[in-house]
Amino acid sequence: MTDTIFAPATAAGRAAVAVVRVSGPATLSVVESLVGRAPTPRTAALRTLRHGGMELDEALVLRFEAPASYTGEDSAEFHVHGGRAVVEALLAALSDLGLRLAEPGEFTRRAFENGKLDLAQAEGVADLIDAETEAQRKQALGQVGGALSQRYDRWRDLLIQSLAMLEAAVDFPDEDLPEEVAERARPGLRTLSAELDAALADVERGRRVRDGFRIALVGAPNAGKSTLLNGLVEREAAIVTDTPGTTRDVIEVPLVLAGYKVLVADTAGLRETADAIEAEGVRRARAWAEEADLRLWVVDGFHVKHAVKLEEAVRLGDWLVLNKADIAEGSALDQAEALWSGEGLKVLRLSAHSVEAMSDMREALSSHVADALSGAEFPAATRLRHAERLREAQGYLARALSEVGLEVELAAEDVRLAARALEKITGRVDPEDVLGRVFSTFCIGK
Ligand SMILES: Nc1nc2c(ncn2[C@@H]2O[C@H](COP(=O)(O)OP(=O)(O)O)[C@@H](O)[C@H]2O)c(=O)[nH]1
Ligand SMILES: [Mg+2]
């Protein structure tokens, strides 16, 4: 028989109210043991909690009967006063009554196992709990609501329809020529393939919204990268000195721009060095910059004449920040700007010491991030796991549509495998270890 589990659903620490949840077959008997007469299902009732002949608290008690609950099981919530001793006393009582403390994500896992939500929706729940920005909240809420799952299911249904056509050709070869039937299934598969292409092209967007858009500050030592970071985030996040080589590790600072989560990284100045620690810093700086969604190449405008060489890692669309415009020579900056904008870089001339310039730069970055991450449609994948399965499905589909797929049996097998790949995203079919990985990232009590 299933265990009955319990856990605090609210964060630890002093608060007005704390919520403790219980789920499983022993729920009703536990509620009765603690409060006497159990409240009517789905109706809040004020009750005195008692255990071991002692009063624990006055609490609002809610009870749900299976299957009409979050987990799909009998479950209950105790809304107690949020003091630590109150919560501890209730948890001790529940344990004493033979209940087990829930594992991370166990409530949601039970909801999944009872068909209350699919795996993509369950991931949405975890993301909603972690959401810090407006964009993360919207994306996660859409996912919990099933927006993502519906799309995966629609694609899967299309595959199943094509599969039915192909199988008919295999099973009743007399009716029509198998090649003709296979031909009839192809337009649908082609349309789907195009949709998957578009979704895959959009994969990074969903992940960036969820994990943060990464901006790297890179450039030579003393260019003013750390000053720029501090100006952008409006606090002394990085140490600024006039000694080149001060910043040695990558300093990542989270920021919210236009409602999106952004990570700005200050990095060690790029230069040849004999110092092993600094060299490692330079290596990390290059690696972070390589992975970043946007690189800001910071150049000391005062020494701009000596800094014309462009790093190999510069990419089209990167930004070039001509810093120290307050002390730099205007004509030298003009030349540099002409040179680099000709190379396809967006050039900004500013002083990292100017509060106003930093505010303008935040604005410019906000627009850039919003342009990069907003889209007409909700992204098709918010996690690497989804992207991998979409790619897998696309691979099978491509084979079904190729020459090999002219063989009806082979095409049918590929379409079946593509459908299977999509089913893995919503967890219709998935091995235990995938489920374990997904739910272990949850907090206890969810
Ligand atoms: N005049 C002037 N000095 C700056 C500006 N930005 C940075 N600095 C100075 O340049 C030196 C190096 O700055 P820092 O941010 O540590 O450079 P990093 O090595 O690229 O991180 C420090 O003395 C800063 O005060 C600026 O816009 N104008
Ligand atoms: Mg620095």
Side-chain angles (χ1 to χ4, degrees):
M1 188 156 125
T2 327
D3 291 351
T4 299
I5 52 173
F6 70 94
T10 40
R14 188 168 168 269
V17 174
V19 177
V20 174
R21 286 169 134 180
V22 170
S23 182
T27 299
L28 180 59
S29 66
V30 164
V31 170
E32 283 173 341
S33 160
L34 289 171
V35 310
R37 192 168 50 84
T40 315
R42 312 178 77 81
T43 307
L46 185 64
R47 292 282 191 276
T48 303
L49 301 185
R50 288 192 182 82
H51 183 67
M54 209 172 60
E55 255 182 44
L56 305 181
D57 193 13
E58 291 281 318
L60 202 61
V61 182
L62 267 165
R63 172 168 93 78
F64 304 88
E65 273 178 339
S69 71
Y70 178 71
T71 55
E73 303 176 323
D74 278 353
S75 62
E77 284 180 12
F78 299 95
H79 297 223
V80 295
H81 291 96
R84 214 164 73 196
V86 180
V87 176
E88 291 293 328
L90 176 55
L91 298 181
L94 292 169
S95 169
D96 197 40
L97 289 166
L99 271 51
R100 167 171 74 72
L101 184 64
E103 284 165 25
E106 197 170 0
F107 288 90
T108 307
R109 178 157 189 163
R110 289 184 175 196
F112 167 73
E113 275 160 6
N114 290 320
K116 287 286 178 175
L117 32 74
D118 66 33
L119 201 55
Q121 287 176 304
E123 288 170 332
V125 171
D127 289 352
L128 201 51
I129 291 168
D130 289 335
E132 287 172 350
T133 67
E134 186 61 5
Q136 287 173 320
R137 182 185 69 74
K138 283 188 187 150
Q139 176 165 298
L141 193 62
Q143 194 167 331
V144 172
L148 210 49
S149 308
Q150 278 160 22
R151 182 141 22 137
Y152 297 140
D153 284 344
R154 186 173 65 76
W155 286 338
R156 173 186 168 273
D157 291 348
L158 289 172
L159 286 169
I160 301 294
Q161 281 168 23
S162 304
L163 184 61
M165 279 187 184
L166 294 169
E167 280 178 342
V170 176
D171 294 343
F172 308 102
D174 301 339
E175 313 267 312
D176 273 309
L177 282 176
E179 291 74 30
E180 285 175 15
V181 180
E183 208 46 54
R184 249 178 271 152
R186 285 167 91 89
L189 292 178
R190 263 193 217 105
T191 311
L192 180 55
S193 176
E195 277 193 51
L196 282 178
D197 271 344
L200 282 167
D202 201 29
V203 150
E204 283 304 305
R205 191 163 61 94
R207 284 179 59 206
R208 283 175 194 152
V209 168
R210 179 170 175 264
D211 301 333
F213 184 92
R214 293 151 63 96
I215 300 176
L217 293 165
V218 269
N222 248 22
K225 300 177 293 300
S226 299
T227 310
L228 208 59
L229 173 80
N230 293 345
L232 279 176
V233 304
E234 296 178 286
R235 64 185 174 87
E236 302 300 308
I239 302 171
V240 171
T241 70
D242 51 13
T243 312
T246 303
T247 310
R248 299 190 150 203
D249 210 342
V250 176
I251 300 174
E252 283 178 36
V253 183
L255 194 63
V256 178
L257 293 179
Y260 292 97
K261 178 175 174 179
V262 173
L263 283 175
V264 188
D266 181 23
T267 62
L270 304 176
R271 66 167 171 184
E272 296 296 323
T273 170
D275 179 325
I277 301 173
E278 194 185 345
E280 173 59 18
V282 170
R283 192 193 63 75
R284 288 182 192 194
R286 289 189 195 280
W288 214 97
E290 184 63 28
E291 295 281 297
D293 300 308
L294 176 66
R295 280 152 295 278
L296 305 187
W297 297 90
V298 188
V299 169
D300 180 341
F302 188 69
H303 294 112
V304 72
K305 282 193 179 136
H306 312 288
V308 272
K309 199 178 134 282
L310 279 178
E311 279 279 334
E312 281 169 28
V314 170
R315 284 187 227 161
L316 209 66
D318 281 358
W319 292 17
L320 186 94
V321 182
L322 290 173
N323 189 32
K324 310 195 187 180
D326 53 325
I327 53 170
E329 206 184 301
S331 61
L333 292 182
D334 289 343
Q335 273 179 15
E337 179 162 1
L339 173 70
W340 278 314
S341 47
E343 298 273 347
L345 299 193
K346 177 185 165 92
V347 180
L348 301 179
R349 280 161 76 152
L350 51 80
S351 164
H353 283 164
S354 152
V355 174
E356 200 183 321
M358 288 299 91
S359 157
D360 290 349
M361 185 156 172
R362 256 196 311 278
E363 289 271 303
L365 287 172
S366 298
S367 314
H368 180 86
V369 172
D371 283 349
L373 298 187
S374 65
E377 246 192 306
F378 187 66
T382 54
R383 295 184 181 226
L384 190 58
R385 192 179 73 80
H386 305 182
E388 283 170 350
R389 296 289 82 80
L390 290 177
R391 251 176 234 120
E392 187 183 330
Q394 180 66 312
Y396 289 127
L397 209 50
R399 204 166 64 183
L401 284 166
S402 73
E403 291 293 308
V404 181
L406 290 175
E407 202 61 55
V408 183
E409 281 96 340
L410 294 180
E413 181 56 17
D414 280 331
V415 170
R416 191 175 298 117
L417 289 168
R420 179 59 63 96
L422 294 182
E423 286 167 6
K424 283 182 188 160
I425 305 182
T426 48
R428 273 178 210 269
V429 281
D430 231 330
E432 183 68 15
D433 63 322
V434 173
L435 298 180
R437 233 179 8 250
V438 168
F439 288 104
S440 65
T441 61
F442 277 68
C443 48
I444 287 187
K446 193 64 211 175

